[in-house]
Every structure is written in C-alpha cells, then in structure tokens.
Amino acid sequence: MTSPTASVHRVATSIPEPTGGLQRFLHRQAWTTGVAVLMVLLVLWRTSQVPHFGDFEIRTITAGAMSLAFLAMAQALVVISGGIDLSVGAMLVFTNCLSALWMDGKGLGECIGIAVAVVAIAIAMSSLIGVIITVSGVPDIIVTLAASFTISGLALVVLKSPGGGASLDFQKLVAGGLNDYWPSLLWTVGTLALVWLPLRRTRLGLAIYAVGSNRGASFLAGVNVARTRVLAYSLGGLFAGLAGIITTAYTGGGEPRASIGANATLNSVAAVVLGGVALTGGVGGLAGPVMAAVCLSLIPAIMLGRGWDPSYAETWRGVIIIAVVLVGGLVQTRRRAT
C-alpha cells in the first residue's frame, strides 16, 4: 500500500513589466497632462485667428492670465489643506487699490518696496482669517465670505474711484512691455519652480496635504492641524497679494469695484476645479490651476476672434468645467471598478 502523497499546486504569478519614467509621470499626472493639452489646443486655436501672431500676442496671453493664475494658486493651496477662501478676489482688489494709491508718482525702487509691504499686509490679513477659522470653529466658507465683504469695503475706503498708478519701469518689470512677454512668463513659471515645487516636499507641504486628506489622522500622526491651516491661509495671502500687485502693474492703476473681486473669486475656484484640485482637499497641485487659468483667460479672446459675443464667455467656461469634471468622474469610477 502506497502512502498518499500530497499534491502541490503551483500558482503561476506574473511579474509586472517595469514602467518607464514617462509612463509613471503620465499615470500620476494624468489630469495635469490633460489640462496642459487643453491649454496647448486653445493657444493653437488662438494663433490661427491672428494673421501675424508674434510677441505682442504672446504677451497678451501671458500677462493677461497672470492675475488669475496667482489667484488660482492662492485658492488651490487653501483647498488642498481642506478649506476654501472666498475672500481671495476681494484681497486682489484691496491690494490692487492699496498698491496703486501708494505707487502713484513713485520710482522703481519705491514701487518695489511698496509691493513688498502690500504683500506683507495681505499675508497678515489672510493669516488673521485663518486664525479666526481655527479658533472659532466656524466653517471656512462663512468666515471667508464675511471677510470678502469687509475687505471689499476696505478697498473702497482706500480708493473711492478708479485711479492711482505705478512706475512705468515697475510695470515693465512685472508685466513686461507691449512686445516683451518674458517678465510675465518668468514670474509665473518662476513662482511655481522656486516656491511651490520645494514647498510641497517640505514638512509644511506634506502637512498641508495630510490635513486636507484627513484632519483626524493628521492630528494622531503628530501634525499641528491648526497651525498648518493658518499657514495655508498665509501662503494663500501671499499669492493673492501678488495677484493684486500684478493687476496694478498690468493695468497701471487701481479699480475698487466689488464685482471684480467676486468674479475673480469664482474664476479662481473654476481654475482650481479645472486644474485637478479636489474640493474635498488633499489632492492636486498648483501647476494644473495655473494652466487652467490660462485656458479660462483664452476663452473670451477666442470667442471674439470667432465673431461670437464674448459676453457668453462665462457660460462657455461653465460648460467646459462641467464637461471636464464629468469626464474626470467617469474615469475615477472606471478605476474604482477595475
């Protein structure tokens, strides 16, 4: 009688193929890549509408989108941390009016000093908003909405009607000349490269993502949630203040209308959503919202080039955002299913 032998079943496992750097990048940055493709297509569309597309037209695109790009960065940082800031547009208007008032009739050196002081004021005001939110426990949307009314009122106190000015040299330094697009391009790309890319790998950057993903888990992991949220608002104030300075340099004056701030806030949220930042927090970056800001800025010009009424630009912006978010939602649903 033979002793029974145990049969051994060998399960064949397949080793996944190693992926290249480009493939990994496209997988991790699929949404940002899609926004980049959309931006390129819109730029090409715009170039096809202009008979002689040159430096002036490039500068119009880069400088015209700067304010919204920096405002989108401000909004994105707060949203990644799990909040939302409805006062960024009002902060843009306030810093625009304050800088235009103080810079009027001043030279380049004085304008630079004033710009630094105005941005510092914006950081202090946004930090105060963050402190109020964390100390009171009142939702971000309520505090920042109330702050937007207050800051809009301060803008009217500073500058009761359109006016002010800035040094021509300061304007060229920030927004470039009529045929010089390099300053506006370098300010935008340089800010992303020198501020955001290092920040997201620091302890603070990781804490912002952690707090936005799960505040409770972040607290248990040793993250100071309150301080991180306040610093996120401070960084948002930095970018919102820069957006106001850029507006002064680009327009050469200040405009205190509250409707400009409200519209800018809505556009910043639109750029954040289109740029791939999740409104639930903890997901996204700043490159996507910056490119989305360029896309949103191009829509009125393209409509005008097609002979359409540019007044419907907001409608088309909404349609594009809904379509993009719908596609993104379907992609996420398919990923979860597989």
Side-chain angles (χ1 to χ4, degrees):
M1 182 176 179
T2 59
S3 59
T5 58
S7 59
V8 179
H9 299 279
R10 297 181 179 178
V11 181
T13 58
S14 59
I15 300 175
E17 293 290 333
T19 57
L22 178 61
Q23 187 176 352
R24 288 196 300 271
F25 174 82
L26 292 176
H27 178 73
R28 295 173 183 173
Q29 305 293 336
W31 191 289
T32 304
T33 304
V35 177
V37 171
L38 175 62
M39 182 185 71
V40 171
L41 291 176
L42 289 176
V43 170
L44 291 176
W45 191 355
R46 180 58 183 154
T47 58
S48 67
Q49 295 177 331
V50 181
H52 303 288
F53 192 86
D55 292 345
F56 174 79
E57 288 74 19
I58 297 175
R59 189 260 181 181
T60 302
I61 294 173
T62 56
M66 274 184 80
S67 294
L68 180 55
F70 276 78
L71 209 63
M73 288 190 251
Q75 190 71 261
L77 267 169
V78 176
V79 172
I80 290 172
S81 70
I84 191 167
D85 191 352
L86 299 183
S87 68
V88 291
M91 189 67 74
L92 178 150
V93 173
F94 172 71
T95 51
N96 167 226
C97 292
L98 189 61
S99 59
L101 177 67
W102 288 352
M103 289 182 183
D104 193 16
K106 302 296 192 300
L108 175 61
E110 292 173 297
C111 287
I112 293 175
I114 291 169
V116 173
V118 170
V119 171
I121 292 172
I123 293 173
M125 294 174 66
S126 295
S127 300
L128 179 60
I129 293 172
V131 170
I132 294 172
I133 290 171
T134 54
V135 171
S136 66
V138 178
D140 304 59
I141 191 170
I142 296 176
V143 176
T144 57
L145 181 61
S148 69
F149 295 135
T150 304
I151 298 171
S152 296
L154 289 175
L156 285 169
V157 171
V158 170
L159 204 64
K160 292 180 171 37
S161 61
S167 165
L168 185 59
D169 291 333
F170 180 78
Q171 291 182 254
K172 291 181 178 179
L173 177 66
V174 176
L178 291 178
N179 296 309
D180 184 12
Y181 58 86
W182 282 110
S184 56
L185 184 63
L186 290 175
W187 273 105
T188 306
V189 177
T191 301
L192 281 173
L194 299 178
V195 177
W196 171 241
L197 292 182
L199 174 65
R200 66 179 302 169
R201 291 173 173 81
T202 62
R203 186 183 184 90
L204 174 59
L206 296 175
I208 289 174
Y209 276 98
V211 170
S213 298
N214 191 314
R215 291 178 189 172
S218 301
F219 175 78
L220 294 175
V223 176
N224 190 323
V225 176
R227 184 179 64 184
T228 301
R229 295 182 68 193
V230 171
L231 288 175
Y233 273 94
S234 301
L235 290 169
L238 167 67
F239 289 115
L242 288 172
I245 296 297
I246 289 165
T247 303
T248 302
Y250 183 60
T251 62
E255 171 58 78
R257 280 185 298 163
S259 58
I260 295 177
N263 189 52
T265 297
L266 293 177
N267 281 329
S268 73
V269 175
V272 164
V273 173
L274 182 58
V277 177
L279 291 178
T280 52
V283 177
L286 299 195
V290 168
M291 291 185 288
V294 176
C295 294
L296 295 175
S297 300
L298 281 168
I299 292 174
I302 291 174
M303 293 182 68
L304 188 63
R306 293 285 298 177
W308 301 339
D309 188 350
S311 301
Y312 295 107
E314 296 300 323
T315 302
W316 281 106
R317 286 173 180 171
V319 170
I320 291 174
I321 292 170
I322 291 172
V324 171
V325 172
L326 179 61
V327 171
L330 293 174
V331 171
Q332 291 295 330
T333 303
R334 290 188 62 183
R335 285 181 177 177
R336 294 192 189 103
T338 56

